[in-house]
């Protein structure tokens, strides 16, 4: 059996699909993961994935492309699967993707859907109202005939050793950036946290993508080690795997840290529900006002002056959370 799993969102979303992908891989002869360009590096880290098919959907992402008949026809020609699982967030419809898969000749298609699917779905599954995204995906897989075969935690292929980047000895990672501004802690607060953690005796490594070098340099200052722009996805996994604790917002490194088993201090802006997106399967401390006026707004830019849901979190709060997780370990 050839199976296709789709998750058309970002890096972190694809990581959360990992337990469901492994469940499918346990019974399928070949598993293709269909994802967007932002999710592709994560897809290549997931155990159970035999092939990664990258496509930008007009109904997904922050800057979706225009609808192109030629582009959709080309995708239809590339899909070769008997069975498909369409994984979406709780607020997304799977039906546009299901239509494409039907055109590609996929015989059995399963998805969570609150909308009437007509002939587009063979299994119209109802997700539990408050399920974490990873649990919801695994539940759908089970309903489609792919029950979980392991502990259901996030997982990635064994990352490369990172000592050349991290240096010897224990360290804490602070990742100040976020995929959208509404989920980011203030740079000044992050820099204060680096200083406070360093004063408490911790080595602090500051990570970030190529476009965040200015941010990571500022946050690291004289008391942290700046790794901004120096890690691809496997290398970042290695850095996070060696950390004692990772401090980050609700963004991809939170899920990557969980996938390598590292505790997380989660600076969680409530624009999406923590119950669905918190670090999964690892010890974590959730910081941030979950009842702030922005709660459940799905805003990309904070709609409240001063970004109070996160800017009320202090460097001392973060340092205390780090010590709590270290004590539990």
């Amino acid at each position: 059996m050839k199976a296709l799993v789709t998750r058309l969102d970002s890096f972190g979303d694809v990581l959360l699909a990992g337990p469901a992908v492994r469940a499918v891989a346990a019974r399928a002869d070949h598993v293709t993961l269909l994802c967007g360009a932002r999710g592709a590096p994560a897809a290549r880290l997931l155990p159970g994935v035999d092939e990664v098919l990258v496509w930008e959907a007009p109904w997904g992402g922050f800057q979706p492309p225009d609808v192109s008949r030629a582009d959709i026809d080309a995708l239809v020609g590339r899909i070769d699967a008997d069975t498909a699982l369409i994984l979406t967030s709780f607020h997304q419809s799977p039906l546009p993707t299901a239509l494409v898969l039907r055109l590609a000749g996929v015989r059995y298609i399963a998805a969570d859907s609150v909308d009437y699917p007509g002939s587009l779905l063979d299994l119209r599954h109802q997700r539990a109202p408050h399920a974490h995204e990873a649990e919801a995906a695994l539940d759908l897989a089970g309903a489609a005939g792919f029950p979980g075969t392991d502990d259901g935690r996030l997982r990635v292929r064994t990352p490369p050793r990172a000592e050349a980047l991290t240096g010897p000895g224990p360290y804490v990672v602070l990742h100040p950036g976020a995929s959208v501004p509404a989920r980011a802690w203030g740079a000044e607060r992050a820099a204060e946290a680096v200083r406070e953690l360093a004063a408490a005796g911790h080595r602090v490594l500051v990570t970030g993508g190529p476009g965040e070098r200015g941010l990571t340099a500022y946050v690291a200052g004289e008391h942290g080690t700046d790794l901004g722009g120096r890690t691809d996805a496997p290398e970042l996994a290695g850095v996070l795997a060696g950390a004692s604790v990772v401090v980050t917002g609700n963004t991809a490194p939170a899920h990557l840290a969980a996938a390598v088993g590292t505790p997380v201090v989660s600076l969680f802006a409530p624009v999406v529900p923590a119950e669905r997106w918190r670090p999964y399967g690892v010890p974590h401390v959730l910081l941030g006002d979950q009842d702030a006026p922005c709660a459940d707004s799905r805003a990309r830019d904070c709609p409240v002056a001063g970004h109070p849901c996160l800017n009320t979190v202090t460097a001392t709060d973060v340092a205390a959370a780090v010590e709590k997780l270290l004590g539990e370990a």
Side-chain angles (χ1 to χ4, degrees):
M1 175 178 52
K2 295 180 180 179
L4 179 81
V5 179
T6 76
R7 184 75 207 214
L8 297 172
D9 301 290
S10 65
F11 189 106
D13 300 309
V14 171
L15 288 178
L16 293 175
V21 168
R22 297 197 307 273
V24 172
R27 283 173 168 76
D29 300 308
H30 186 276
V31 177
T32 299
L33 183 56
L34 173 62
C35 61
R38 292 186 304 136
R44 296 186 179 103
L45 294 177
L46 292 182
V49 174
D50 298 301
E51 179 184 2
V52 177
L53 189 57
V54 181
W55 182 65
E56 294 298 323
W59 49 86
F62 299 140
Q63 295 179 315
D66 293 334
V67 175
S68 164
R69 173 69 177 269
D71 184 46
I72 292 176
D73 285 347
L75 175 65
V76 166
R78 296 170 67 193
I79 291 172
D80 180 16
D82 311 303
T83 296
L85 258 62
I86 303 173
L87 304 182
T88 57
S89 296
F90 69 97
H91 60 276
Q92 296 171 327
S93 172
L95 299 186
T97 304
L99 176 59
V100 173
L101 299 185
R102 277 288 187 242
L103 293 173
V106 179
R107 293 193 297 271
Y108 181 88
I109 303 173
D112 291 328
S113 181
V114 297
D115 301 313
Y116 173 64
S119 61
L120 296 181
L121 298 179
D122 298 285
L123 174 63
R124 178 196 183 192
H125 186 255
Q126 300 295 310
R127 66 186 288 161
H130 304 289
H132 192 281
E133 291 293 307
E135 293 170 349
L138 191 56
D139 187 41
L140 172 63
F146 302 100
T149 58
D150 56 37
D151 60 11
R153 295 176 65 174
L154 305 190
R155 195 171 298 163
V156 293
R157 301 179 193 272
T158 303
R161 297 180 67 87
E163 286 86 350
L165 286 166
T166 66
Y171 58 88
V172 171
V173 168
L174 192 150
H175 187 92
S179 55
V180 297
R183 301 181 192 178
W185 200 30
E188 290 185 4
R189 289 297 177 102
E192 290 171 3
V194 170
R195 294 193 294 270
E196 188 148 343
L197 288 167
H202 300 291
R203 274 200 315 129
V204 185
L205 310 186
V206 181
T207 57
E212 298 174 321
R213 287 189 177 98
L215 171 64
T216 59
Y218 174 79
V219 170
E222 298 179 356
H223 301 277
T225 299
D226 179 14
L227 297 184
R230 297 175 59 189
T231 55
D232 61 14
E235 289 169 332
L236 181 59
V239 170
L240 300 182
S244 302
V245 176
V246 173
V247 180
T248 184
N250 175 28
T251 194
H255 305 305
L256 188 55
V260 295
T262 302
V264 179
V265 174
S266 176
L267 293 147
F268 201 100
V271 291
V272 294
E275 65 183 2
R276 294 187 173 106
W277 297 100
R278 68 187 184 278
Y280 186 73
V282 293
H284 63 277
V285 174
L286 205 68
L287 299 178
D289 181 4
Q290 300 306 298
D291 297 316
C294 64
D296 297 334
S297 66
R298 301 204 298 270
R300 292 194 60 204
D301 295 294
C302 182
V304 183
H307 200 22
C309 67
L310 288 186
N311 281 344
T312 52
V313 179
T314 68
T316 300
D317 295 330
V318 167
V322 167
E323 297 300 339
K324 180 179 186 295
L325 290 173
L326 289 174
E328 291 175 354

